[in-house]
Amino acid sequence: MIKVLVYVFLLCASAQGFTANITIKNSSNEPLANAVVWLTASGSTEITAPEAPYAMSQQNREFIPRILVVPQNAKVEFPNADSIMHHVYSFSKAKTFELKLYKEQPKAPIIFDQTGVVELGCNIHDWMLGYIVVVDSTVFAITDENGKANLQTGAGEYTLSVWHSGFSDISNVETKNVIVGTQPLEYKVKQEVAAQIDFATDEFDDY
């Protein structure tokens, strides 16, 4: 009887919009900021990415944003807002590509058609590091300084996926089956999270 009532509740609520309030904590039970979280519905079919491209900029010799989350098959542009050249590349399994020395804007965006974590670098400025996280969902966010993220979706059964750039193995995504309803969700990552280091830029290069 209880299972029937839960099913009826989820069936009725799925037609409504819910805000899934999610808190992510590290292995020490402290709020984990800058964690990527996304929800994938049970039995999900192929998702449709927006036509408009996302942007991963280079500005002040840094990738902006440092972490970009996009749905599978999304297009991403790499505009260069600096007065110097950049040479963006990735050797990641999810997407291997290279944008050789350029200023302003490359001719065409790049399509990210495989899910996974794409680690970005610049062949000229070694300290530049960025990530594009390609997910099988359109419901995603990055946690704030309190480890919280709010995801707009319908009630129901989902797979919650969590990733952080401080994971020792950045290809390792943690997952958990959850039910989205009226109760907030909390997840504690199993992996240790390394401290993130900000590298000072070299102001003496001129290219």
Side-chain angles (χ1 to χ4, degrees):
M1 182 64 179
I2 294 177
K3 288 184 178 179
V4 173
L5 291 175
V6 170
Y7 175 78
V8 171
F9 167 76
L10 293 176
L11 187 64
C12 295
S14 62
Q16 306 174 13
F18 265 92
T19 299
N21 301 306
I22 301 173
T23 301
I24 306 298
K25 295 187 176 182
N26 62 19
S27 57
S28 300
N29 213 38
E30 300 167 331
L32 183 59
N34 299 316
V36 177
V37 296
W38 64 98
L39 292 171
T40 307
S42 299
S44 289
T45 57
E46 186 175 347
I47 62 174
T48 301
E51 270 301 314
Y54 293 80
M56 173 64 86
S57 303
Q58 300 98 65
Q59 187 173 358
N60 297 325
R61 300 177 177 89
E62 293 180 337
F63 286 109
I64 305 293
R66 184 171 178 271
I67 299 172
L68 176 67
V69 192
V70 302
Q72 187 176 12
N73 296 316
K75 302 172 185 175
V76 179
E77 296 178 329
F78 292 83
N80 180 0
D82 288 331
S83 59
I84 57 176
M85 290 186 176
H86 289 296
H87 185 150
V88 177
Y89 69 91
S90 176
F91 297 129
S92 299
K93 183 178 180 180
K95 192 69 177 182
T96 299
F97 70 96
E98 184 178 25
L99 297 173
K100 295 185 177 180
L101 286 170
Y102 71 96
K103 287 186 176 182
E104 297 179 351
Q105 183 111 356
K107 291 182 179 179
I110 293 176
I111 298 175
F112 288 77
D113 54 356
Q114 295 186 55
T115 59
V117 179
V118 181
E119 187 175 16
L120 306 174
C122 176
N123 208 27
I124 306 302
H125 309 101
D126 293 340
W127 63 84
M128 288 179 60
L129 183 63
Y131 301 94
I132 296 177
V133 184
V134 187
V135 302
D136 57 348
S137 174
T138 56
V139 183
F140 50 78
I142 298 177
T143 57
D144 62 19
E145 61 183 7
N146 297 311
K148 296 184 180 298
N150 297 322
L151 299 178
Q152 299 294 326
T153 189
E157 297 180 359
Y158 292 85
T159 298
L160 169 66
S161 299
V162 182
W163 176 87
H164 197 279
S165 61
F167 285 171
S168 57
D169 179 3
I170 62 168
S171 65
N172 191 355
V173 175
E174 297 190 11
T175 61
K176 179 184 179 181
N177 293 330
V178 298
I179 295 179
V180 172
T182 57
Q183 299 299 314
L185 301 173
E186 184 175 301
Y187 180 79
K188 183 166 72 172
V189 299
K190 299 176 177 64
Q191 304 173 66
E192 293 295 328
V193 178
Q196 304 296 283
I197 301 173
D198 291 326
F199 294 97
T201 59
D202 182 355
E203 298 298 335
F204 296 100
D205 65 63
D206 57 358
Y207 57 91

